[in-house]
Amino acid sequence: MTGISASPTDVEGLWVIERAPIKDSRGSFCRVFEPSVFEEWGWDGPVRQVNHSCTAQRGAVRGLHFQLPPHDETKLVTCLAGEVYDVAVDLRRGSPTFLSAFGTHLSADNRKSLLIPRGFAHGFQALTDDVELLYLHDRDYAPTHEGGLLATDPRLGIDWPIPISQMSERDLTHKPIEDDFEGID
């Protein structure tokens, strides 16, 4: 038994992953990832990259970032320390949930993850100081194929839970979505 389950979200193909830890007097143990289990929810490749981010300041926003084809990626985002409001935006051309944003709380305490398929932008807001996230990616990072959305774009309607305290220079330069944006393949 893996102790891993998934719940679909309102955005097609996007899953919230939950884990049931095994606990005893020493503490707890839980499985974070098992490819054969995750295939059912859209994971279809090996883990090609594992990243760890640390965000020091409550209110900071990172993202919204994505990779363009043929380097688009599926990723699993898990909070190891603190709490975040994690957001994914559907950018898939022709998707019934095109430009829909979904946000959920991930924390070290709730042990939830967000499984984000190809064709989505991703970002998060730190809700506590000293947040740490672990990312599993099924593709290698390709800087020539990266893209970004403005996290405060009114068209996306993301309701960040607390005032934004900090964003990177790069993330501040992302433009709002234009009316003629048709999505990515």
Side-chain angles (χ1 to χ4, degrees), residues 14-181:
L14 186 65
W15 296 86
V16 173
I17 307 299
E18 296 187 61
R19 295 172 184 85
I22 298 167
K23 297 180 180 181
D24 65 21
S25 61
R26 299 166 296 167
S28 66
F29 172 88
C30 73
R31 187 161 309 201
V32 173
F33 180 76
E34 186 174 340
S36 62
V37 173
F38 279 74
E39 286 173 0
E40 179 182 341
W41 307 310
W43 188 278
D44 66 355
V47 173
R48 298 292 305 243
Q49 191 177 170
V50 178
N51 295 314
H52 179 227
S53 74
C54 301
T55 305
Q57 186 179 27
R58 179 181 186 267
V61 169
R62 290 184 185 250
L64 303 159
H65 305 139
F66 59 93
Q67 291 274 253
L68 294 163
H71 299 282
D72 48 340
E73 61 190 359
T74 299
K75 61 180 145 183
L76 179 67
V77 181
T78 304
C79 185
L80 300 178
E83 181 178 3
V84 300
Y85 183 68
D86 205 65
V87 175
V89 179
D90 187 353
L91 302 179
R92 300 170 297 176
R93 181 177 308 175
S95 169
T97 53
F98 178 63
L99 293 185
S100 294
F102 173 82
T104 191
H105 291 259
L106 304 180
S107 71
D109 291 336
N110 72 19
R111 299 174 194 259
K112 291 182 181 180
S113 297
L114 196 58
L115 180 59
I116 305 168
R118 289 177 179 79
F120 278 69
H122 170 258
F124 70 89
Q125 182 176 47
L127 300 180
T128 60
D129 289 339
D130 302 318
V131 165
E132 295 186 37
L133 293 185
L134 185 72
Y135 303 74
L136 277 63
H137 304 259
D138 72 345
R139 299 268 173 99
D140 294 324
Y141 172 67
T144 58
H145 287 75
E146 67 182 357
L149 303 176
L150 184 62
T152 56
D153 186 341
R155 185 163 178 187
L156 297 175
I158 299 170
D159 186 16
W160 298 105
I162 60 178
I164 295 173
S165 64
Q166 187 179 41
M167 290 175 66
S168 73
E169 292 280 331
R170 181 183 81 156
D171 289 347
L172 288 169
T173 64
H174 296 311
K175 305 288 183 224
I177 294 172
E178 307 221 351
D179 291 336
D180 63 349
F181 178 67

